[in-house]
Amino acid sequence: MIGYCKGMNRVSLLRTVIGLRAPALKEYVLTITSRYKHRDSQHCIANQKTEGETHKYPLIPIIARLTPPVLRGKEIARIIPLLETQVLHRELNGKSHPVSSKVFTGSASIAESNPPAREKTFNSLRVQVGLLYVVLTLANLVFFSAIILENQMDVLNDNVILVAERAAHQVQARLHSIASAERGESAELAAVAEHFAFTEYSVRNAKGEELKPDGTVGPANLPNFQTDLAELEARSGVIAEPYHVRVDSKGFQVAFLFPMSGKRYLTATSTLDSIKNRIRSIYWQLGLALAWGIAFHVVFGIYLLRRIFKRLSLLRETSIQLAGGDLTTRTSWLRKTGDELDTLGDTFDTMASKIESTVGQLSTANRRLRIELEIGRQVQNFFLRGHELVKEYSPALVYRPLSEVSGDIYNFFQINDRFKGVFLADATGHGVSAALVTSVIFFHLNQLLKEERSPLKIMHALSRQIKNDLNELFFATAFLLLLDSKGDIFYVNAGHNAPMVFRRSSGKLIELETTGMMLGLDLGDPRPYDMKRVPVRSGDRILLFTDGLVESADSQGEMFGNDRVIEILRASADKPGTEVVKELEAAVIGFAKSMTDDLTIMILDIP
C-alpha cells in the first residue's frame, strides 16, 4: 500500500530493517528511505550486492527479532530450517508462490506481451527494393532500346533514299538507250525491270491509264499517279533529275515515275530486300542486347540478394528469435569482407550476449527474491496465529495478500480471564514495504501487551512508537477490540474502516466509527483516542475488515462499498461465519476489475 516507496529496493530494505532491534529501527529506515527514494527498482536490484549479506535468507531474522520471547528458543531453531527446506523445495520444483512469478519472467514474457507481427509481403524491404529494381531495369532497357532503334531507323531511312536515287538514276540512263536498242521497247523494259528487281511496272499516259504492249488501254488504277506526276512536273525548269522517287519508309518500298517519249510515263515499284535484311539484323542485335542487359541485371540482383539482403534477412530472423526469448541466438553468416553488415552483425551479437548475461543475473536475483519473499510470506503467516484464544466466538477469517506479503495484520491476545482482545491493522500501501510497517507494529504491540491492559494506553503508546521509529513517513489504521465475557465489547478505532455489529435477532446494524487518528500521526492532542462501549447479546455477529473489501472498484471506478457488504451480511444471517467470509471474498473479487489492495475479512459470533 505504500506508493511513496515504490522505487525502493525491497530486498535491501528487508535485510536492513527486519534484522535490527527496535532502538536502531528509526535510523535505518530513514537512511534507506532517503537513499532509495528517487531510484528505480531495477537500479536498486543491480546494486543489491553492495548492501552486504549477513544471512543466507535475510527475512529469517524477523523471527528472532520481532517475535515475542515466548516463541523464541528451540521453537525458532526448529522452524527456521523447516522454512528454508520448504522454500528451496518449492523453488526447485517450480512451485513458488503464484504471485511471486510476476516479479520477473525474463525476455520470454516480453515476447508474449508484444509478439512480433507477421509483416505483409509488400512491406518486406527485399520485395520493395526488388520491385523497384525490376521496374528501373525494365525502364532503362526500354529507354535505351527505343533510342537505339530510332537512330538505326533514321539511318536506314536515309540509306533507302540514297539507294532509291541511285537506282532511279541508273534506270533513267537505261531508258535513254531504249530508242537505239535493236530489241523492241517491251523487251528492253522487261530487261530493265528484271535487272533492278521491279516488283511491278507499267507504261501510263498522262491520265494514268495503262498502255499495254498490244496497244490496248487499261484502267487508271494507280491511286498516287496524279500526285507523283504533279510533283514531277513541278520539278521541270529546276536543276533536278528528270524522274520522281517516292519512298514508303514503313514497308521500305520505292515507287518510281520516269518520263518517256510521246507523253508516256514508266511507273515501277521495288522492294529493297537488303534494307529488310538489315532491319532483321538490327532486331536480332537489339534482342541480344536486351537479353544481355536482363541477364546482367539478374546476376547483379542475385549478387545484391546474397551479399546484402540475405544477411539482412538472417539479422531480422535472429532479432525475432531474441525478442521471442531465445537469448542464445546469434547471427550465423561467415564474416568475410568486414563491411558494414558484418560490423552490424558483430554489434548485434555483442548486444545479445550482454542481454543474455544481464537477464541471467536478473533471473538469479529474481529467484533469490522469490525465495526470500516466500520465506517472508511463511514467516508472516507464522505470526498470524492465535485463533484458539477466541474459539468460543467461532472466528472466521479470510486473509488475502495482494502479493507475497501483506500490509494487513491481525492478532489475538488475552488480557485476563474476563477480557480477550482482537487487533486489526492496515498499513498504508501494500507489499514488502507495508509488511515491514506491520512487522514493526506487531513487535511494539507484543511489547506493550506485557506492560499495559488499557486499550487507550496501548493504542496511544503504539501510535507514539510508530511515529518515533518511522518519523511520520509511514502510517497505519488500526482497530483494537476487547471482548468482555459478561456481554459487552469495548473498542478503539484509529482511523480504520468502521467494523459492524449485526444483531441477527432484530436485523439492526451498528457501525463502530472512528475514535481517533491513524497510528503514526501526532497532532499534539493529549488524549488522541477515545474508547467506546457497545452492549452485545448472544447471536450478535461482529464483522471486521480492511479497506481492500469496500474500496475495490470495478471498471467504471465504482467502489464495492458498505451497502453491498451490509446486503450480503443480512442475506447470510443464518449461515455460519466461515461461509459468510467466503461469500464476501467471492463477491468483491467478482465485482472488482482487479484487486489493488490486501484483503482481510474477520467474523466473530457472540456466544
Side-chain angles (χ1 to χ4, degrees), residues 34 146 216 234 242 263 283 292 296 353 359 373 428 443-444 458 536 571 583 590 607:
S34 61
T216 61
K263 292 192 177 183
Y283 286 152
W292 165 252
F296 173 80
S353 298
V359 169
L373 290 176
T428 53
F443 170 77
H444 286 303
I458 290 174
V536 293
E583 287 186 14

Side-chain angles (χ1 to χ4, degrees), residues 501-504 535-542 604-606:
V501 176
F502 177 50
R503 301 196 189 281
R504 289 188 284 179
V536 293
R537 63 190 66 155
S538 177
D540 288 353
R541 173 165 286 173
I542 304 175
L604 301 171
D605 288 334
I606 303 299

Side-chain angles (χ1 to χ4, degrees), residues 413-546:
F413 55 91
Q414 186 163 358
I415 301 295
N416 49 40
D417 293 339
R418 177 181 174 182
F419 291 102
K420 294 181 179 180
V422 179
F423 180 82
L424 178 62
D426 181 6
T428 53
H430 54 264
V432 175
S433 54
L436 293 176
V437 177
T438 58
S439 299
V440 174
I441 295 173
F442 188 87
F443 170 77
H444 286 303
L445 177 65
N446 281 285
Q447 294 297 320
L448 290 170
L449 287 174
K450 299 175 186 178
E451 304 170 358
E452 295 289 346
R453 293 293 182 266
S454 169
L456 285 176
K457 292 182 179 180
I458 290 174
M459 198 67 82
H460 192 182
L462 185 59
S463 178
R464 187 170 57 250
Q465 288 282 4
I466 298 302
K467 174 183 178 297
N468 293 337
D469 287 343
L470 303 181
N471 199 25
E472 296 186 356
L473 292 174
F474 305 96
F475 311 99
T477 64
F479 184 82
L480 194 153
L481 175 67
L482 282 186
L483 300 168
D484 188 350
S485 59
K486 293 185 178 182
D488 292 334
I489 62 171
F490 302 86
Y491 74 91
V492 179
N493 188 338
H496 196 77
N497 295 92
M500 302 176 186
V501 176
F502 177 50
R503 301 196 189 281
R504 289 188 284 179
S505 59
S506 62
K508 182 179 179 181
L509 192 81
I510 303 173
E511 293 189 357
L512 308 182
E513 299 291 347
T514 298
T515 62
M517 65 189 70
M518 291 192 300
L519 297 181
L521 286 177
D522 186 1
L523 301 181
D525 189 349
R527 293 177 54 85
Y529 299 101
D530 293 326
M531 183 175 68
K532 291 188 177 182
R533 171 183 172 275
V534 177
V536 293
R537 63 190 66 155
S538 177
D540 288 353
R541 173 165 286 173
I542 304 175
L543 173 66
L544 295 85
F545 54 89
T546 57

Side-chain angles (χ1 to χ4, degrees), residues 171 189 192-194 196-201 256 258 266 268-270:
V171 170
L189 289 178
V192 170
E194 181 180 0
F196 290 100
F198 290 157
T199 56
E200 294 179 356
Y201 73 94
F256 299 97
F258 301 99
L266 174 65
T269 58
S270 176

